[in-house]
Amino acid sequence: MRLRRKQKTQVIKAKIKRNILGWLLIVPSVLLFIFFVWYPITFNLALSFFKDSTFSEFVFFENYKAIFQDPKFISALKNTFLYIFWSLIIGFLVPLIIGFLLSEIVHAKGFFRVVIYLPCMISGMAVVFLFRSMFGNNNWDIINVILIRVFGAEEGVQWTADPNLVIPVIVFAMTWRGAGGTALIYLSNFQQIDDSIYEATRLDGVGPVKRFFKITVPMMRTTILLLLILQVISVFQVFYEPMVIAGNNVDALSLMLLAYNYAYGNGEFEYSKSAATSVILAVIIIATTIIYFVATKLIERRGEKS
């Protein structure tokens, strides 16, 4: 009996030591996470219910009412969904097509991988400055020079002043920089599909387009849905691209940029409105994430039934 008790106590002591070591290892990371993530989130949420950053006057939902009555907020909300629309047309389809084309290439596949990934290594700020100089509104900007001298246009296009063109231009700049990395993710998933399936369809005379929709897309639907929701979440947080490319154009204003303008852009330092805008954006992103999880569950259930 004494030996059993000693063995039990030794086992308990060993478990306690392991737990203590584990907690000692994880505590610094948890503290950093609390300091850099949860504290700012809590502070921001609390600030959205007060009049200013001194927390002297509790106004409840007054800041939310004020921003919903602001025409700039309505415009930014509409623009954010326009960003998502254009990113689904340009930014989502382009990497998917590039990844599929890379999987179909037989020779020099490594060379094309490097070339496609090169824009991802360029600083995001450098890319938006590059596109601002290309798609400027003046006749001496690069694209307008090409239109005038090569195609004989009378004058250049107002790329960032036209409300119908400014958001597609910004999405195009974002896609140019990030499409390569996403395309390589698709490529790695394409290569996990059994080659015998493709070979059988090739022998049956099935073309690449039909093969893409009949085999590739159904077998990769979970990955496609994941990258789709990640892209939507990233587009919700568009910030410096419209600031640099479009400047003060309201037609390109995003929710993130509006939150910045409330705090620093208009000189009034409306931190509470900025916090409320950020909270609304966070709620939209959380709702989008929930929709993704629900859709994933439905897809998994359909897969199990089939």
Side-chain angles (χ1 to χ4, degrees):
M1 291 292 290
R2 289 180 180 178
L3 287 172
R4 286 181 181 178
R5 287 178 183 176
K6 284 183 179 180
Q7 287 175 353
K8 285 183 180 180
T9 52
Q10 286 176 356
V11 170
I12 292 168
K13 286 179 180 179
K15 285 183 178 180
I16 292 170
K17 284 181 180 179
R18 288 176 186 174
N19 290 334
I20 290 171
L21 287 171
W23 278 107
L24 287 174
L25 288 170
I26 202 173
V27 160
S29 300
V30 171
L31 290 175
L32 288 172
F33 188 79
I34 290 170
F35 182 75
F36 287 107
V37 178
W38 284 111
Y39 172 70
I41 290 173
T42 307
F43 183 87
N44 189 81
L45 181 61
L47 180 59
S48 68
F49 295 107
F50 285 83
K51 187 175 182 179
D52 51 42
S53 57
T54 60
F55 293 91
S56 57
E57 184 180 349
F58 183 75
V59 294
F60 206 43
F61 286 115
E62 290 301 319
N63 292 316
Y64 293 93
K65 289 180 183 178
I67 61 175
F68 271 106
Q69 292 171 358
D70 188 353
K72 287 184 179 179
F73 174 78
I74 305 301
S75 178
L77 187 63
K78 181 191 74 173
N79 291 340
T80 301
F81 285 99
L82 282 175
Y83 278 113
I84 292 171
F85 171 76
W86 282 108
S87 71
L88 294 180
I89 294 175
I90 302 172
F92 178 68
L93 291 178
V94 169
L96 184 60
I97 294 168
I98 291 173
F100 180 70
L101 292 175
L102 280 174
S103 67
E104 293 289 316
I105 291 173
V106 178
H107 302 291
K109 189 176 286 188
F111 169 75
F112 285 109
R113 286 179 186 174
V114 173
V115 170
I116 287 169
Y117 190 73
L118 278 176
C120 298
M121 295 187 282
I122 303 174
S123 167
M125 192 60 71
V127 170
V128 293
F129 273 105
L130 171 66
F131 271 80
R132 190 179 73 171
S133 65
M134 289 175 62
F135 291 91
N137 299 322
N138 301 308
N139 289 338
W140 58 80
D141 289 313
I142 297 171
I143 302 299
N144 283 338
V145 168
I146 294 171
L147 291 175
I148 293 169
R149 295 191 177 182
V150 177
F151 295 98
E154 293 183 2
E155 59 180 2
V157 178
Q158 300 292 305
W159 295 102
T160 59
D162 191 334
N164 297 317
L165 294 176
V166 60
I167 291 179
V169 167
I170 294 169
V171 172
F172 179 59
M174 295 162 58
T175 304
W176 184 85
R177 180 176 179 264
T182 310
L184 292 180
I185 295 173
Y186 282 124
L187 177 62
S188 65
N189 282 271
F190 290 146
Q191 291 175 341
Q192 292 176 12
I193 300 172
D194 192 357
D195 288 334
S196 61
I197 300 173
Y198 283 125
E199 289 298 329
T201 54
R202 287 191 185 100
L203 292 172
D204 291 337
V206 178
V209 177
K210 196 171 182 180
R211 195 162 58 242
F212 174 75
F213 286 104
K214 294 290 183 181
I215 298 172
T216 306
V217 172
M219 297 188 75
M220 285 184 54
R221 55 191 176 188
T222 305
T223 303
I224 291 171
L225 186 60
L226 174 62
L227 292 174
L228 171 65
I229 198 67
L230 289 175
Q231 176 157 342
V232 169
I233 290 171
S234 67
V235 171
F236 270 123
Q237 301 174 65
V238 169
F239 171 58
Y240 64 86
E241 293 90 350
M243 176 189 285
V244 175
I245 294 176
N248 295 321
N249 190 350
V250 179
D251 295 313
L253 189 66
S254 66
L255 286 175
M256 282 285 287
L257 182 55
L258 179 64
Y260 172 83
N261 288 341
Y262 276 139
Y264 305 107
N266 55 10
E268 296 181 8
F269 304 107
E270 298 174 305
Y271 297 117
S272 298
K273 284 187 179 181
S274 176
T277 307
S278 302
V279 170
I280 292 170
L281 180 59
V283 169
I284 294 172
I285 292 173
I286 291 168
T288 308
T289 308
I290 291 169
I291 292 169
Y292 159 71
F293 281 114
V294 172
T296 306
K297 290 293 181 183
L298 291 173
I299 289 171
E300 287 176 356
R301 287 177 183 176
R302 285 183 182 180
E304 289 172 0
K305 288 180 181 179
S306 60

